[in-house]
Amino acid sequence: MAPLTLLLIFLSSFTASSSAAGEYPTDLFFSGFRRAAAAGNITLSGIAEIDGRGVLRLTNETGRLMGHAFYPSPVRFKSSPGGGVSSFSTSFVFAVVPEYPKLGGHGLAFVASAARDLRALPSQYLGLLNAGDVGNFSNHLFAVELDTVQDFEFGDINDNHIGIDINSLVSNASAAAAYYAAGENSTKLDLNLKSGKALQAWIDYDSGEKVISVTIAPSSVKPTKPILSYKVDLSPIFREFMYVGFSASTGLLASSHYVMGWSFRIDGAARALEISSLPPLPGARKKHPPSTALAIGISVLCVVLAGSAVFLVVLIVRRIKNADGVEEWELEIGPHRFSYQELKKATNGFKEKELLGQGGFGKVYRGTLPNSKIQVAVKRISHESKQGLREFVSEISSIGRLRHRNLVQLVGWCRKRGDLLLVYEYMANGSLDKYLFDEPQVTLDWEQRIHVVKGVASGLLYLHEGYEQSVIHRDVKASNVLLDDELNGRLGDFGLARLYDHGSNPGTTRVVGTLGYLAPETPRTGKASMSSDVFAFGAFLLEVACGRRPIEHEAGPEELVLVDLVWERYKEGRVLDLVDPKLKGEFNEGEVMAVLKLGLLCSNCNPMERPTMRHVVRCLDGELDVPEVATAPSGFDCTRAGEGSRFEDFRLSFPSSCFDKRSSSSFVANRDNSFASLSTSPISILTGRGDSG
Ligand SMILES: *[C@@H]1O[C@H](CO)[C@@H](O)[C@H](O)[C@H]1NC(C)=O
Ligand SMILES: *[C@@H]1O[C@H](CO)[C@@H](O)[C@H](O)[C@H]1NC(C)=O
Ligand SMILES: *[C@@H]1O[C@H](CO)[C@@H](O)[C@H](O)[C@H]1NC(C)=O
Ligand SMILES: *[C@@H]1O[C@H](CO)[C@@H](O)[C@H](O)[C@H]1NC(C)=O
Ligand SMILES: *[C@@H]1O[C@H](CO)[C@@H](O)[C@H](O)[C@H]1NC(C)=O
């Protein structure tokens, strides 16, 4: 049987029949892409390429890139522009080989799109869409994603799932990767998309039933039961002509995404692909006949021996040169590890000229990554103790997995002796404080400010509630809010404070924070909590609305503390007098009032009285009314804050109902409402105890 079958496979390794429906292709079949590449029957863009053996590699293991491969001419999906979408069927064999085992980045997708040149972003956007057009019905984009990262932003169910995406990356339907075993019992078996092994996928659309079904399996035997079915009429989504192909992307973490074979058919079942006749995955071992095995074995052994000798020498030389070698545990860590040389080159050798700023944790330099030319900000933190470095770095990996449009994304890191270098996205418009304080050259109008405030609130909410474990920021303030090129507010430095703790001696907890933003209970207990973040956010709200720092040293004594000043004016009913004069009176009164009142509520000395970030976000979105403020922020005896109970207790006991629209007046003082305790406002405690500033 062999010769004839082989001949047939060979002959059919590329055919695109263009007979049935005139000049439009209806039946594509690629058993490997070598011939297709030679004949120009596949169009590549991004970093996609076809290797010598005919394997299509959409991305390699370099982060934040994407690759596309499309059949060059469009496929006719409808018999008339207004008609229904014909049935179609496609099947492909793919493999995802991640840079680090168990951590994929980000995924690949089969795409049908009105345009071949997708104006898209990498990372969580999978090279399909960009931040501006997600969800827009003029995209005319249909995709089936094989996603290996859980993105909370798009509501992903896990980091190993398939999803049906219509004009958006929020999947219409998704399922954990699995398949039904053949046979009547059809047990569901889990499948790991990023196992590095060849897997096959089938996507079928039935125009009669209007159902899309997706099936995956580790072999070329198609399970009878699909893992995902979704009833949808594709007619409004598809145009008459659509391009078909693949897209993949990498992010902070990266995988090589391969496609070894693909078949596609309109009005019929896609021709079967035979995994065994496809080109092998690069790096996969090929089977050799026994006669040559010995020879190959010996030569491989020689190469390995020579290789390991060279490797050892290199390793020893590197160890001697700089104690900066990669240790085994570091390989298990997620975010991209840069070499010191790379970062040194990126920042021109950490020249003063590239210095962007100097924060509590170290100096920040502007840099341009030598290969990709991507602009980044490099933060250099010196870390005295070697002890705790491992925790330090594992913390980084968890920070690196936090993804939200209002957080400054960590791109990677590097360790050099006692120094730790953190590489972040570059924020074109710098930090917010330079637009607010000290007679700035440019300021932001109210619309821009409220946009920033809402962004920061949702970023902080994500840190508190959106991730597996809540992350306390610990240092929310205007100078930690950065503005990207579209003036979106993005929180920087999150998680760093906790990182820093790993370096200090156990037992002496360093209180991290900034005077004026530090909740009064924090120095007392040494513990930051979600509610101490809310306190700092309150100070931030007031500074954005009033355009002045929470504590002004130059101002007269009664103006020293912004929150007290706002409270005084609020009681007198003329709080709008305090609105930043740089706004020249142009602002939305309702919004400013809401921000000021929220600022007061969040600044309450008593952690139990502060709202949660979820409430704050709902108020800012206008979903809930902001109640009148009845308690003086420092009406509670600050010196007692935090006594006895842990802050988690405070948060849980916060009466969430008091923020409900129906009972908006119930935010009532339940303590001594006099202002005698004004003198015990935060600073008196902080200056006495806080190790901050
Ligand atoms: C595929 O490539 C062959 C060989 O160059 C060419 O003749 C054929 O027209 C191509 N098919 C399509 C549908 O473009
Ligand atoms: C990935 O591809 C890009 C572009 O072709 C290249 O610059 C980069 O060096 C490649 N990375 C790896 C790890 O091969
Ligand atoms: C959708 O995209 C079209 C074309 O790019 C644009 O004109 C329209 O404003 C977008 N709609 C929304 C809601 O963003
Ligand atoms: C799913 O698809 C429909 C179009 O049929 C669309 O209106 C809807 O917004 C999509 N998204 C989700 C999350 O259901
Ligand atoms: C189905 O399950 C039953 C009970 O577990 C078993 O006896 C039977 O052999 C199974 N049939 C197949 C086809 O696997």
Side-chain angles (χ1 to χ4, degrees), residues 206-259:
D206 181 335
S207 62
E209 300 285 322
K210 308 231 177 328
V211 169
I212 273 281
S213 22
V214 184
T215 314
I216 49 174
S219 70
S220 48
V221 180
K222 183 178 178 182
T224 42
K225 192 168 162 192
I227 191 67
L228 181 61
S229 292
Y230 180 62
K231 197 164 169 56
V232 60
D233 180 6
L234 291 178
S235 310
I237 292 113
F238 277 52
R239 290 233 172 100
E240 182 182 357
F241 294 100
M242 299 277 277
Y243 292 93
V244 286
F246 298 92
S247 173
S249 72
T250 62
L252 190 62
L253 299 169
S255 305
S256 292
H257 295 97
Y258 298 100
V259 179

Side-chain angles (χ1 to χ4, degrees), residues 177-192:
Y179 68 105
Y180 290 98
E184 57 197 78
N185 287 352
S186 63
T187 32
K188 194 163 158 181
L189 300 170
D190 289 341
L191 204 56
N192 180 6

